[in-house]
Amino acid sequence: MSDTAEKQLVVFDFDWSLADQDSDRWVFEVLAPELRRKMKTLKQEVQWTDLMASSLRELHAKGVAKEEIEDVLRKMPFHPAMARGVTDLKTRSTPKTTFLCLSNANIVFISTILKAQGLDTLFEEVVTNPAEWDPSGLLKLRRRVDPEGPQHQCKVGCSPNMCKGDELDAFLDRHRTQFDRIIYVGDGTNDFCAVLRLRSQDMVLCRRHRGLEKLITGYEEESRLKCQVRYWAGAWEVEEIFKQL
């Protein structure tokens, strides 16, 4: 790994990458397992963000309050080594690190968890699905890419609600900063498009035993990835890699 980077961008997926659990599934597993089972049954038929939105409406109809959802989010597994690793990296003067979050979860879940972990100022931007509480305590969720508007043109396989490759490019265009290195931390198949856009000086930190590893393996064996690849299974290994930067 190059030691010459002065400015670097660290991009995190959220669920199973920064956090040690899936926030969407966690809420229902704790508060309404029967709805979680229903979601598992329907996930091949209904787009995931839409399914989450309808499940949140059902959860609200069952009388589950906003405060209960927030309390469950604060208790969601989050490895101390990951919190320590990103905090240490951000406080270092060399290299100067900017953090970006690209997630298919939603802004309410993510911001609640980050605040509970003392990481609410970590990210320059959190790019995810919009959500807001209405006066009744219902969390209203919608896709980042409006199904009624122009759709992204990704051919890699991103979900209709967001193309992470496009979102990464858009972030770089907005900020017009030349990063010497981009490090992408992810686990899922929806991270693959962004990984394909990384350069030779960039790196993906791919979590073991999840969808992204299955996609990367073939590309790596055929030398079709430009970026460097490092694998990790536990958050302590990400902290180790960050210390080596």
Side-chain angles (χ1 to χ4, degrees):
M1 188 184 300
S2 171
D3 297 323
T4 60
E6 295 181 6
K7 291 182 180 179
Q8 65 183 6
L9 175 67
V10 175
V11 186
F12 265 97
D13 172 46
F14 190 77
D15 295 323
W16 290 121
S17 294
L18 184 68
D20 233 10
Q21 179 56 263
D22 181 294
S23 56
D24 287 347
R25 291 162 175 80
W26 170 259
V27 165
F28 289 93
E29 287 170 10
V30 176
L31 294 173
E34 70 283 1
L35 289 181
R36 172 70 181 95
R37 175 59 62 189
K38 183 177 179 181
M39 292 162 66
K40 192 174 180 68
T41 302
L42 293 174
K43 69 178 183 178
Q44 300 301 328
E45 303 171 28
V46 184
Q47 195 276 328
W48 182 259
T49 311
D50 296 347
L51 180 57
M52 269 297 297
S54 63
S55 299
L56 285 166
R57 290 192 293 271
E58 289 188 65
L59 192 66
H60 182 256
K62 290 171 67 68
V64 175
K66 169 186 174 181
E67 292 74 19
E68 293 178 84
I69 295 174
E70 290 176 329
D71 184 57
V72 163
L73 290 168
R74 294 186 194 104
K75 294 175 180 175
M76 196 180 89
F78 200 106
H79 203 294
M82 188 67 78
R84 191 170 57 228
V86 296
T87 301
D88 289 348
L89 192 56
K90 184 160 188 176
T91 57
R92 266 189 250 165
S93 57
T94 305
K96 180 175 172 54
T97 304
T98 299
F99 285 88
L100 166 67
C101 180
L102 293 181
S103 171
N104 272 317
N106 70 76
I107 191 61
V108 169
F109 283 10
I110 292 173
S111 59
T112 302
I113 294 166
L114 289 176
K115 187 174 182 180
Q117 298 299 327
L119 297 174
D120 45 325
T121 61
L122 176 66
F123 290 108
E124 181 79 14
E125 289 186 30
V126 176
V127 177
T128 186
N129 296 301
E132 62 278 323
W133 299 105
D134 78 1
S136 73
L138 169 65
L139 184 58
K140 299 173 75 173
L141 170 66
R142 59 190 186 279
R143 298 187 198 183
R144 178 170 177 81
V145 176
D146 187 338
E148 302 302 320
Q151 302 300 291
H152 68 68
Q153 301 303 308
C154 178
K155 300 295 190 293
V156 175
C158 287
S159 174
N161 67 290
M162 181 193 301
C163 169
K164 289 191 176 183
D166 286 355
E167 297 291 355
L168 176 57
D169 286 348
F171 176 88
L172 295 172
D173 288 343
R174 283 195 299 276
H175 290 267
R176 298 189 178 278
T177 299
Q178 183 60 47
F179 293 104
D180 301 314
R181 176 170 61 210
I182 298 174
I183 299 170
Y184 193 104
V185 187
D187 72 283
T189 56
N190 60 1
D191 295 309
F192 189 54
C193 183
V195 170
L196 289 178
R197 304 191 191 202
L198 299 180
R199 307 159 299 177
S200 60
Q201 68 265 43
D202 300 331
M203 174 174 292
V204 57
L205 306 187
C206 174
R207 192 161 197 177
R208 290 279 190 192
H209 314 305
R210 305 194 68 81
L212 180 60
E213 181 184 12
K214 295 175 184 176
L215 292 175
I216 280 180
T217 301
Y219 271 65
E220 194 180 11
E221 289 173 351
E222 298 168 11
S223 301
R224 294 169 67 189
L225 278 184
K226 295 178 183 176
C227 66
Q228 304 166 63
V229 182
R230 295 282 293 272
Y231 293 98
W232 61 283
W236 63 277
E237 294 171 292
V238 175
E239 182 185 24
E240 259 185 351
I241 294 168
F242 284 171
K243 284 182 177 179
Q244 297 165 9
L245 297 177

